[in-house]
Amino acid sequence: MVTLASSVIGRSVRTASAALLEAGSQTKVASLQGTEALFFHRLDATEHTRRQEAAAQRLDRMAALETLLTLPVGIPVPLASLDADQRRSVRALPTGAADRDLATVTRRAVRPVRVDLAVVRASGWRQGLRDAGRFAPFCRRAMLLTRRPSHLEELLAECDFYGIGVFVAAADGVEMLLEPGEYRPQRHTAAAWCFVEELYQLLR
């Protein structure tokens, strides 16, 4: 049976998609967005160490992330330049997210993880399209089919349109039938940051 948690499957998918992955990527099977997937990710060691040393609190509330996205990283911002609502938001930031004194706030937190690829397991390609599509705002994505589909041309055309890669389990490993499209976010969003924060909590 094909299971994402299998180390053999993880190595086989890594081998099949080696050209797509950054050096040093690790794997983690987790359920995010209501869907289990195999995530290829890279921990930001500098940010991870900083958070440990600062005894940083969890950073997975949308309001806090939205506030941080309005601040530059490592540059003091005068509190006087912020309106009353923004100052209240800054005061509510979790420990370790930013440094504050009487006059300024300096953002310290950045994304602690980069996700290179999310692979969902699917018995059928339409299910794979639906499940992999949930990760469209966050990273490259692909489906791992348990058997070779009969309507291959239709499948590949549909998946190519949505930028979803296709892997199929074979007797001797995993074959990549279609390379996943590149992940090109139009802008940085609190939702995308929250996604990696949720994964980060599972990696600690």
Side-chain angles (χ1 to χ4, degrees), residues 44 46-48 50-51 54 56 59 68 71-76 93-101 104-112 193:
D44 184 325
T46 301
E47 175 65 0
H48 177 60
R50 185 198 69 79
R51 291 191 184 196
L59 186 56
L68 289 170
L71 301 172
V73 180
I75 300 175
L93 287 172
T95 299
D99 295 335
R100 298 185 298 276
D101 56 31
T104 64
V105 57
T106 305
R107 173 181 158 189
R108 298 301 181 192
V110 296
R111 297 188 189 195
W193 191 349

Side-chain angles (χ1 to χ4, degrees), residues 132-147:
R134 291 178 176 143
F135 300 111
F138 312 123
C139 60
R140 266 185 163 180
R141 62 254 192 255
M143 67 178 77
L144 171 62
L145 297 172
T146 56
R147 59 182 180 277

Side-chain angles (χ1 to χ4, degrees), residues 1-10 29 36 38 121 144 146 169:
M1 179 180 178
V2 176
T3 62
L4 291 174
S6 165
S7 60
V8 174
I9 291 297
V29 175
E36 183 181 75
L38 173 65
R121 175 184 172 275
L144 171 62
T146 56

Side-chain angles (χ1 to χ4, degrees), residues 1-24:
M1 179 180 178
V2 176
T3 62
L4 291 174
S6 165
S7 60
V8 174
I9 291 297
R11 288 194 300 270
S12 296
V13 173
R14 179 188 293 277
T15 298
S17 57
L20 312 177
L21 302 174
E22 295 289 339

Side-chain angles (χ1 to χ4, degrees), residues 147-162:
R147 59 182 180 277
R148 198 174 189 88
S150 54
H151 304 291
L152 188 57
E153 288 187 10
E154 179 185 2
L155 175 153
L156 295 181
E158 189 87 2
C159 291
D160 186 52
F161 178 80
Y162 290 106

Side-chain angles (χ1 to χ4, degrees), residues 60-106:
D60 53 8
R61 291 185 295 105
M62 292 292 288
L65 296 171
E66 287 169 353
T67 297
L68 289 170
L69 284 174
T70 67
L71 301 172
V73 180
I75 300 175
V77 174
L79 292 173
S81 69
L82 306 177
D83 63 32
D85 287 342
Q86 290 172 319
R87 289 194 294 272
R88 278 193 294 271
S89 297
V90 163
R91 287 195 296 271
L93 287 172
T95 299
D99 295 335
R100 298 185 298 276
D101 56 31
L102 293 178
T104 64
V105 57
T106 305

